[in-house]
Amino acid sequence: MMFTENRGMSSTISLPTCSCCLRHIMPNDKCVKFNCPDCGADLIWRCQSCREAARNYTCSSCNFQGP
Ligand SMILES: [Zn+2]
Ligand SMILES: [Zn+2]
């Protein structure tokens, strides 16, 4: 993962967003990211809690839903 170092007090650093629960994924989150298995264009992020809960994700490009 590539996170630009932020030395300021700003909390608006660009964190990836979980494709399941749409929450921001923290750098220490045991998340996974992979390309959409259907269209391959979109990068799917799943946060740790969604992995453990096995929630479905939805591709924002083709609306493919999968585990
Ligand atoms: Zn999530
Ligand atoms: Zn897709």
Side-chain angles (χ1 to χ4, degrees), residues 36-42 44 59-64:
C36 170
D38 196 49
C39 67
D42 211 47
I44 309 285
C59 173
S60 58
S61 294
C62 66
N63 285 327
F64 173 81

Side-chain angles (χ1 to χ4, degrees), residues 8-30:
M9 297 294 286
S10 171
S11 60
T12 55
I13 53 173
S14 58
L15 293 168
T17 307
C18 175
S19 301
C20 309
C21 63
L22 305 180
R23 283 183 302 203
H24 288 304
I25 294 175
M26 295 298 133
N28 62 349
D29 204 325
K30 291 188 180 63

Side-chain angles (χ1 to χ4, degrees), residues 1 3 16 18 25-34 44-49 51:
M1 284 185 289
F3 290 101
C18 175
I25 294 175
M26 295 298 133
N28 62 349
D29 204 325
K30 291 188 180 63
C31 62
V32 290
K33 70 173 191 290
F34 52 92
I44 309 285
W45 287 84
R46 288 180 101 192
C47 70
Q48 184 178 1
S49 60
R51 280 181 56 212

